């Protein structure tokens, strides 16, 4: 474990300052979408900041530092014209990502004063106590609500909670707050807060994390949004506040949406018509489209008319019902449907230019060896591009179960773009035999296990939705859980077989009444990218060995019999036979945050082996 930084004193007699403005911290581009996006807290040395909203730092997201990224299908889904990569530059003259100091409450370990950062009178460009000349420590605690608001922990109210109301409740006791540690333990009981007014006793932070701790003090969310700056007025929210550690993952969780670049949108060119597609969609025939484009581009359309019409037809296929405006869920399902169709049909590398970003081919080996496993249609995805966009963020809730009313936008005003990152890699796509799958999922025991998980998951979704709106329906079906668990065991198997770190592989599930496929692909832009090792696992002879090996590994868990025989596991009982010792993955690899898993649907149970789809594989 890295030791904490030593206390630093300023040198007298013209010594160099500890920090010079502007302060800079190293954050990878991918982290600006997944870990340190808008509204998140980031630590730089011994200081803490919050990443500014897009409309408050839009200048830093322009130019060479933040190139544009085009993925028309995803942009259309999210209602924007394009995406931008997070700012990144080695030039110190460039801005980079903008941040604001948060939390403002700091303490001095020397004099134990607890107050706002500016009240310590720190020298310009430094975060040290103006009196003691030691590093200030940002508050360890913040408060948040489920609507996404964030605020300072109310230390004054916490200390004076036992005093009478009136002038004390208004914060006019005239004293100063102090914070110290007794050093006896590492628990909250050892963190002591007091006030010099001596009208309230010294109290510990124990109990501050209780669900109703702040509600009992009469405190409600004031709608504070510090990432938007002080110029944006807060609007009282009224929801219950929860105390959180500043570094807790519950403080900020991204809402990410992604899409694969597939034909006809995958030729790697910048989209010269990005600003014009909304206008083009109103025209129904070629002649009107041609007239419009000639007028906009002075007779020199950058894309042939035939190609423009093909792109418009591809968009209309995702909105078959022209009488009813398509919803977000409809378009997202249509997006996945088109990916599934393209992965099934594939395209030949020799038929496309070098700029093609999607190459999916049928393996050369004999696919009949996969039939006894119930697997069919493997495809080698030799080249793919995925764009992941940061749509919004949440606090105190899982992104996959958050309804729209709890999503916090990235800016205070509408934007025509969103932050995004792109990943290029490779993968293996496979499907399950529909006939065998249909027979298996009708079995009573199979349906019963899936129904237990669906009921538990729906209960969790309903609880999180509360009175704010209708919760989304749980996606649990027998085939969904089966494909999800199969993807997990394959990721673990290929991590061992092909040498990829498990965190560099990712699943993409295609489930529905007429879909039963899974794509496992490289999901990182670093050195563990596309080297051909993953695609090689999709050849039928290797794939059959991988599946057999993965199923045999899943047959036994080091936590058995407890793991296999448990009645419920995971968050809210949303898993059955699944734990970190068998099928769980790094959360970056899983579409559903390691829930909705059950390896019994793969291998069966000791009492009922036939509940497993691959039970016959284990008997051979």
């Amino acid at each position: 474990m890295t030791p904490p930084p030593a206390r630093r004193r300023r040198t007298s007699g013209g010594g160099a300052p500890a920090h010079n403005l502007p302060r800079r911290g190293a954050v990878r581009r991918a982290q600006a979408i997944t870990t340190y996006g808008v509204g998140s807290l980031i630590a730089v040395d011994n200081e803490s900041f919050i990443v500014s909203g897009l409309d408050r730092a839009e200048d830093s997201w322009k130019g060479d530092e933040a190139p544009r990224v085009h993925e028309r299908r995803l942009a259309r889904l999210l209602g924007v014209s394009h995406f931008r990569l997070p700012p990144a530059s080695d030039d110190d003259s460039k801005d980079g990502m903008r941040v604001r100091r948060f939390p403002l409450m700091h303490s001095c370990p020397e004099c134990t004063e607890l107050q706002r950062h500016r009240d310590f009178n720190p020298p310009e460009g430094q975060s040290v106590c103006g009196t003691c000349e030691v590093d200030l420590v940002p508050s360890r605690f913040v408060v948040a609500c489920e609507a996404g608001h964030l605020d300072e922990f109310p230390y004054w109210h916490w200390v004076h909670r036992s005093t009478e109301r009136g002038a004390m409740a208004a914060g006019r006791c005239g004293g100063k707050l102090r914070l110290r540690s007794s050093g006896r333990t590492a628990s909250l009981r050892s963190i002591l807060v007091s006030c010099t007014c001596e009208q309230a006793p010294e109290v510990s932070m124990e109990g501050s994390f209780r669900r109703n701790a702040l509600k009992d003090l009469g405190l409600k969310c004031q709608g504070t949004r510090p990432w938007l700056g002080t110029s944006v007025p807060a609007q009282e929210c009224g929801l219950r506040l929860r105390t959180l550690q500043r570094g807790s993952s519950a403080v900020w969780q991204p809402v990410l949406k992604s899409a694969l670049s597939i034909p006809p949108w995958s030729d790697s060119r910048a989209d010269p018509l990005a600003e014009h597609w909304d206008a083009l969609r109103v025209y129904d025939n070629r002649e009107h489209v041609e007239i419009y484009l000639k007028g906009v581009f002075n007779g020199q359309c950058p894309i042939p008319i035939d190609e423009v019409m093909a792109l418009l037809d591809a968009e209309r296929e995702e909105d078959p019902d022209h009488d009813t405006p398509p919803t977000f869920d409809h378009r997202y399902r249509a997006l996945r449907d088109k990916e599934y169709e393209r992965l099934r049909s594939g395209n030949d590398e020799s038929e496309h230019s070098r700029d093609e970003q999607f190459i999916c081919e049928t393996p050369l080996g004999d696919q009949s060896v996969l039939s006894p496993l119930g697997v069919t249609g493997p495809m080698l995805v030799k080249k793919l591009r995925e764009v992941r966009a940061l749509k919004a963020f949440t606090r105190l809730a899982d992104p996959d179960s958050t309804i729209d009313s709890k999503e916090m936008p990235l800016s205070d005003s509408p934007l025509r773009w969103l932050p995004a990152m792109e990943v290029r890699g490779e993968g293996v796509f496979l499907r399950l035999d529909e006939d065998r799958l249909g027979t298996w999922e009708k079995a009573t025991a199979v349906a019963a296990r899936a129904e237990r998980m669906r009921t538990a998951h729906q209960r969790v979704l309903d609880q999180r939705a509360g009175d704010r709106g209708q919760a989304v329906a749980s996606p649990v079906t027998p085939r969904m859980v089966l494909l999800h668990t199969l993807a997990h065991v394959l990721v673990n198997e290929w991590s061992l077989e092909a040498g990829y770190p498990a965190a560099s592989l990712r699943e993409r599930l295609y489930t529905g009444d007429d879909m039963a496929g899974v794509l496992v692909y490289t999901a990182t832009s670093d050195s563990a990218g596309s080297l051909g090792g993953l695609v090689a696992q999709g050849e039928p002879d290797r794939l059959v060995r991988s599946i057999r090996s993965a199923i045999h590994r899943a047959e036994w868990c080091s936590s058995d019999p407890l793991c296999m025989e448990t009645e419920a596991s995971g968050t809210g009982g949303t898993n059955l036979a699944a734990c970190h010792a068998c099928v769980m993955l790094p959360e970056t690899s899983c579409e559903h945050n390691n829930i909705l898993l059950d390896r019994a649907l793969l291998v069966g149970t000791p009492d009922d082996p036939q509940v497993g789809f691959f039970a016959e594989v284990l008997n051979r």
Side-chain angles (χ1 to χ4, degrees):
M1 184 174 66
T2 304
R7 294 180 182 176
R8 180 178 57 240
R9 294 182 180 271
R10 287 187 300 143
T11 57
S12 58
H19 287 291
N20 291 320
L21 291 176
R23 300 174 181 83
R24 292 189 174 272
V27 174
R28 298 193 304 273
R29 263 184 165 155
Q31 289 181 307
I33 301 296
T34 60
T35 310
Y36 300 120
V38 171
S40 66
L41 297 182
I42 179 173
V44 179
D45 292 335
N46 63 327
E47 301 180 67
S48 176
F49 302 92
I50 190 168
V51 181
S52 297
L54 296 183
D55 51 351
R56 297 298 184 267
E58 190 170 1
D59 291 342
S60 64
W61 286 77
K62 294 180 178 179
D64 296 337
E65 282 189 89
R68 289 193 175 194
V69 175
H70 294 284
E71 172 43 56
R72 177 59 195 162
R73 296 169 66 245
L74 186 60
R76 181 166 170 258
L77 173 72
L78 298 177
V80 297
S81 63
H82 65 280
F83 304 101
R84 293 179 184 171
L85 291 176
S89 176
D90 295 330
D91 186 353
D92 287 342
S93 65
K94 301 292 181 68
D95 283 336
M97 291 179 60
R98 299 288 183 88
V99 297
R100 302 174 185 274
R101 187 181 299 280
F102 187 86
L104 297 179
M105 293 296 290
H106 284 60
S107 61
C108 174
E110 195 79 17
C111 62
T112 70
E113 288 192 1
L114 174 65
Q115 57 190 355
R116 288 181 173 267
H117 183 271
R118 65 172 180 264
D119 295 334
F120 283 98
N121 297 317
E124 183 179 1
Q126 301 182 46
S127 182
V128 297
C129 178
T131 302
C132 306
E133 299 183 342
V134 299
D135 289 335
L136 296 175
V137 179
S139 169
R140 284 177 52 186
F141 310 105
V142 295
V143 295
C145 78
E146 291 185 353
H149 302 117
L150 188 69
D151 207 348
E152 307 275 352
F153 181 82
Y155 288 103
W156 194 93
H157 292 83
W158 185 252
V159 172
H160 295 86
R161 64 182 186 270
S162 61
T163 59
E164 296 182 359
R165 303 277 174 159
M168 302 301 292
R172 299 172 182 171
C173 67
K176 287 188 176 183
L177 295 175
R178 296 188 179 275
L179 184 146
R180 68 182 183 88
S181 174
S182 66
R184 296 177 181 175
T185 66
S187 67
L188 294 174
R189 184 178 299 180
S190 295
I191 302 175
L192 305 174
V193 186
S194 61
C195 181
T196 57
C197 70
E198 297 183 354
Q199 299 182 49
E202 184 178 55
V203 297
S204 74
M205 291 296 295
E206 187 177 27
S208 59
F209 282 75
R210 285 191 303 108
R211 190 174 186 85
N212 292 322
L214 301 181
K215 181 180 179 180
D216 293 342
L217 298 181
L219 300 178
K220 295 182 179 180
C221 178
Q222 300 299 311
T224 308
R225 297 178 290 177
W227 62 95
L228 298 180
T230 56
S231 60
V232 178
Q235 299 178 352
E236 184 173 353
C237 168
L239 290 180
R240 176 173 51 198
L241 289 169
R242 292 279 302 278
T243 304
L244 296 170
Q245 291 268 15
R246 173 164 48 91
S248 168
S249 60
V251 170
W252 187 87
Q253 297 150 325
V255 178
L256 299 173
K257 298 297 178 183
S258 67
L260 301 181
S261 296
I262 60 173
W265 302 96
S266 55
D267 57 7
S268 78
R269 295 176 302 175
D271 188 356
L273 304 182
E275 305 293 336
H276 304 285
W277 288 112
D278 290 339
L280 287 170
R281 280 203 302 273
V282 304
Y283 299 114
D284 295 329
N285 59 64
R286 177 191 180 96
E287 182 180 355
H288 291 163
V289 171
E290 190 170 4
I291 292 173
Y292 174 84
L293 292 176
K294 286 183 177 179
V296 171
F297 294 99
N298 298 321
Q300 300 294 326
C301 180
I303 299 180
I305 298 298
D306 290 340
E307 190 172 342
V308 174
M309 296 306 297
L311 295 173
L312 287 173
D313 289 342
E315 282 198 354
R316 292 188 180 107
E317 287 180 6
E318 297 185 3
D319 295 332
D321 187 359
H322 298 287
D323 298 329
T324 305
T327 63
F328 180 89
D329 290 339
H330 172 85
R331 280 184 168 171
Y332 196 63
R333 285 195 302 268
L335 183 146
R336 286 296 182 102
D337 290 344
K338 291 301 176 184
E339 290 180 4
Y340 184 72
E341 291 177 10
R342 180 56 64 175
L343 288 167
R344 287 190 62 174
S345 59
N347 62 341
D348 192 342
E349 182 176 7
S350 61
E351 298 177 357
H352 298 274
S353 68
R354 183 177 300 176
D355 294 332
E356 178 61 50
Q357 295 174 323
F358 180 84
I359 298 175
C360 180
E361 298 181 344
T362 304
L364 299 177
D366 181 10
Q367 299 187 25
S368 63
V369 298
L370 293 167
S371 298
L373 304 182
V375 175
T376 185
M379 299 294 286
L380 308 181
V381 187
K382 294 185 175 181
K383 194 175 182 181
L384 64 79
R385 171 180 179 260
E386 181 193 21
V387 175
R388 300 177 195 160
L390 179 62
K391 176 177 179 278
F393 65 88
T394 65
R395 306 194 197 277
L396 300 173
D398 293 331
D400 68 307
S401 62
T402 300
I403 59 176
D404 291 342
S405 60
K406 291 185 179 180
E407 293 180 0
M408 183 60 67
L410 307 181
S411 68
D412 190 45
S413 57
L415 289 173
R416 293 296 297 161
W417 59 274
L418 287 173
M421 60 175 288
E422 54 183 350
V423 173
R424 289 180 171 85
E426 62 189 22
V428 175
F429 173 76
L430 57 88
R431 294 180 289 123
L432 297 183
D433 182 80
E434 287 284 354
D435 293 336
R436 181 170 170 177
L437 182 61
T439 302
W440 170 82
E441 62 187 354
K442 291 177 183 177
T444 303
V446 171
R449 290 188 72 91
E451 180 60 23
R452 283 163 57 190
M453 298 175 66
R454 192 203 64 78
T455 302
H457 189 221
Q458 192 64 57
R459 187 186 307 116
V460 172
L461 296 179
D462 292 340
Q463 289 174 351
R464 286 173 177 165
D467 299 330
R468 297 181 136 268
Q470 181 65 36
V472 296
S474 172
V476 172
T477 62
R479 70 170 60 193
M480 181 269 167
V481 178
L482 172 65
L483 285 167
H484 190 198
T485 312
L486 175 61
H488 276 231
V489 298
L490 281 176
V491 168
N492 281 328
E493 181 66 23
W494 284 336
S495 176
L496 297 172
E497 181 71 19
Y500 284 87
S504 72
L505 300 179
R506 187 175 174 87
E507 67 179 7
R508 196 167 181 86
L509 306 179
Y510 299 91
T511 64
D513 294 337
D514 55 353
M515 291 195 300
V518 59
L519 172 68
V520 176
Y521 62 105
T522 52
T524 178
S525 56
D526 64 10
S527 57
S530 176
L531 300 175
L534 184 58
V535 164
Q537 305 304 314
E539 290 292 343
D541 56 339
R542 288 193 177 185
L543 183 57
V544 70
R545 290 198 303 267
S546 294
I547 294 176
R548 287 185 180 276
S549 177
I551 297 303
H552 280 286
R553 289 181 189 276
E555 188 179 13
W556 178 251
C557 171
S558 60
S559 296
D560 279 339
L562 179 63
C563 178
M564 179 60 76
E565 296 177 358
T566 183
E567 294 295 323
S569 65
T571 304
T574 50
N575 286 335
L576 289 181
C579 70
H580 287 284
C582 52
V583 299
M584 288 189 177
L585 294 176
E587 290 192 359
T588 54
S589 301
C590 179
E591 285 194 309
H592 295 282
N593 292 336
N594 274 328
I595 64 173
L596 313 182
L597 295 165
D598 182 16
R599 62 188 174 92
L601 295 186
L602 290 178
V603 300
T605 66
D607 295 334
D608 189 1
Q610 295 307 312
V611 77
F613 182 82
F614 296 99
E616 294 183 7
V617 176
L618 299 174
N619 297 329
R620 292 177 182 270

